[in-house]
Amino acid sequence: AMGMAHFFRALNFFFLQQEFGQIYDVQTANTTLGVPLRLRSDVTLASKRATVAETYGQILDDLNAALPLLPELPLVKHRPSKQAVYGLLGKVYLILEDYREALSNAKMCIDLGGRLLDYGEIDGSRAAPFPSDVSQNPEMILYSTMQPSTLLRTRYSVSQELLGLFSENDYRRKLYFQYNPDGRVLFRGSYMGVTGSNFTGLALDEVNLIRIECLLRLGEWEEADSILKLYLGKRYGGDELADYPIDREKLLPYVILERRRQLIFRGIRWMDLRRLNKDSR
């Protein structure tokens, strides 16, 4: 129970920091504001915002405290595990631009089990292509959702700009989207199946993309290239590598674009915009 408490406090501080805390920058992290760190149950204590450095420090402290107290894999995916800790550490260190630590944790997360779904084997004729039973999804590490209102869920439409990022031989073009007679395109590709919720948890697709990005940022081109091609083979059919960059300097923008395609409607895009806006590439 203590391990779960540390993990979920870290996870919620992480979500709050992405939404309300200022962006991480190593030069200003000790002066810019993060979120209030409520660490005690005493309601009479006044709240004040911690710095960005203190906020991420608390998140890391909680995850490191949780790690030895949790099983490698959970009994059910609603509960955290060592694999979930490593996955979240990978996300945190990616934001902190500590790519070696992000890579190390992503590798440990992947090594603990599960596998990538082959999207070419998924039946796209179903109303919700991905299983509602989370135990049947080998990519999912930790269950977590955001619940849009019924009104939003039936009315928000995918932009043509976003839809244009998916080529005809991209399996996600059929699995992720519902094409209505009135011309609207709706998102249906959540890992929550028919529940109507959008998946915001941890999964191996994201962790693999963290691993590939970190390898590229550290100059490990050959390993990144090998893992990326295996990953792409499970997302594209036919000539899936037709637009694969020959120039390895273009691989990083390619992977960033692949993050945008794969991880839509997961509450990740804002996090990516904040960290990537500092990168001239």
Side-chain angles (χ1 to χ4, degrees):
M2 185 62 73
M4 292 175 65
H6 278 294
F7 178 86
F8 282 122
R9 185 166 70 179
L11 181 66
N12 283 285
F13 280 154
F14 178 80
F15 284 150
L16 288 168
Q17 169 60 24
Q18 304 323 304
E19 191 72 21
F20 300 109
Q22 293 188 37
I23 189 171
Y24 176 81
D25 188 301
V26 68
Q27 303 297 327
T28 62
N30 288 308
T31 56
T32 50
L33 293 176
V35 299
L37 299 175
R38 298 289 298 189
L39 304 178
R40 294 170 61 185
S41 58
D42 185 349
V43 296
T44 66
L45 294 175
S47 291
K48 65 174 185 176
R49 290 176 69 178
T51 66
V52 169
E54 289 168 338
T55 301
Y56 280 109
Q58 182 61 51
I59 292 168
L60 293 174
D61 285 347
D62 272 328
L63 290 175
N64 288 322
L67 189 59
L69 302 174
L70 294 172
E72 288 191 353
L73 299 172
L75 291 174
V76 293
K77 293 184 180 182
H78 297 68
R79 299 179 183 177
S81 60
K82 282 184 171 63
Q83 188 175 35
V85 172
Y86 289 134
L88 185 51
L89 282 169
K91 289 177 67 118
V92 173
Y93 281 117
L94 186 68
I95 291 172
L96 299 180
E97 299 177 326
D98 188 338
Y99 300 120
R100 292 207 176 276
E101 281 295 328
L103 175 60
S104 174
N105 282 283
K107 282 183 176 179
M108 287 188 283
C109 176
I110 293 165
D111 288 345
L112 280 174
R115 62 176 175 82
L116 286 173
L117 289 167
D118 187 334
Y119 280 18
E121 298 176 355
I122 296 175
D123 183 3
S125 66
R126 295 180 297 179
F130 299 100
S132 297
D133 182 353
V134 297
S135 67
Q136 300 303 308
N137 187 334
E139 275 191 19
M140 191 183 294
I141 298 167
L142 179 78
Y143 172 103
S144 174
T145 70
M146 59 180 175
Q147 180 69 53
S149 70
T150 302
L151 181 64
L152 280 176
R153 193 165 61 246
T154 56
R155 292 192 178 180
Y156 62 18
S157 301
V158 175
S159 71
Q160 289 301 309
E161 176 196 0
L162 180 58
L163 188 63
L165 299 179
F166 297 84
S167 63
E168 290 298 329
N169 57 2
D170 189 328
Y171 294 130
R172 292 166 298 195
R173 191 173 177 90
K174 293 181 179 179
L175 296 179
Y176 273 11
F177 305 114
Q178 172 186 320
Y179 301 86
N180 286 5
D182 62 4
R184 289 186 304 134
V185 180
L186 306 181
F187 176 69
R188 63 168 188 150
S190 173
Y191 276 2
M192 304 316 303
V194 295
T195 63
S197 300
N198 286 341
F199 176 66
T200 58
L202 296 165
L204 287 171
D205 55 349
E206 181 186 3
V207 179
N208 270 275
L209 289 169
I210 290 173
R211 182 181 183 182
I212 295 165
E213 179 181 339
C214 290
L215 286 167
L216 290 172
R217 289 187 181 276
L218 294 169
E220 303 289 342
W221 305 100
E222 290 77 13
E223 186 178 358
D225 176 75
S226 174
I227 297 171
L228 179 56
K229 285 178 177 175
L230 287 173
Y231 164 85
L232 293 173
K234 298 182 183 297
R235 297 296 183 263
Y236 295 83
D239 299 326
E240 69 270 13
L241 300 183
D243 64 343
Y244 194 79
I246 298 175
D247 181 355
R248 66 186 190 180
E249 294 295 332
K250 295 181 180 179
L251 273 176
L252 181 59
Y254 184 91
V255 170
I256 297 301
L257 186 60
E258 185 57 29
R259 277 182 65 89
R260 189 176 181 192
R261 283 189 283 252
Q262 178 62 30
L263 304 175
I264 59 174
F265 291 92
R266 289 203 196 175
I268 291 174
R269 180 63 177 159
W270 179 239
M271 180 190 91
D272 273 358
L273 284 172
R274 280 157 53 99
R275 71 184 181 91
L276 294 169
N277 278 346
K278 301 185 299 175
D279 190 326
S280 61
R281 290 167 292 186

